[in-house]
Amino acid sequence: WKRSGFVVKGAAVKGEAARLLAKEAEVESETVAALLTQFRRGPNPVDARTVLIVDEASTLSDWDLGEVIAMCAEGGACLRLIGDPAQHSSVQAGGSWAHLVNSFAVDTPE
């Protein structure tokens, strides 16, 4: 994606996961909370030249997942969610990630 001119950003619910994503994938990463705060305050932190990778997607609350999707749709960004639906889920109301993976299993890489 970088070689094609896209800006690749990473995010995770927990700060340690965001730091690990930044190190391992060599992309600018932050917490989902920080990214959504930027979005709420404006301007949108993603645009049509952005690929946003959200790691540990199973830990996203349904509310945050919906807002991340809305942020990417509004900005025209490409969203890639990574995670294991069998791992622990969100502390807040969650489960949408597992539902998406199960509903689109044929399109979900492992």
Side-chain angles (χ1 to χ4, degrees):
W1 291 317
K2 287 180 180 179
R3 284 191 298 256
S4 296
F6 289 92
V7 174
V8 181
K9 294 183 177 186
V13 172
K14 296 180 181 177
E16 185 57 34
R19 284 188 289 280
L20 185 60
L21 178 60
K23 179 181 176 186
E24 297 294 323
E26 298 179 1
V27 297
E28 174 189 327
S29 297
E30 58 194 312
T31 64
V32 170
L35 193 64
L36 291 178
T37 297
Q38 292 173 36
F39 174 59
R40 291 176 195 131
R41 293 181 179 167
N44 194 329
V46 300
D47 61 25
R49 299 299 302 162
T50 305
V51 175
L52 177 62
I53 300 169
V54 178
D55 195 14
E56 308 240 349
S58 64
T59 62
L60 280 170
S61 70
D62 291 348
W63 181 261
D64 286 348
L65 177 59
E67 197 168 4
V68 166
I69 292 170
M71 175 184 69
C72 289
E74 181 182 297
C78 176
L79 175 61
R80 293 292 181 252
L81 301 168
I82 300 170
D84 182 351
Q87 282 185 321
H88 59 87
S89 62
S90 170
V91 173
Q92 297 174 330
S96 290
W97 166 244
H99 176 73
L100 287 170
V101 170
N102 293 328
S103 295
F104 299 97
V106 83
D107 297 319
T108 302
E110 291 187 31

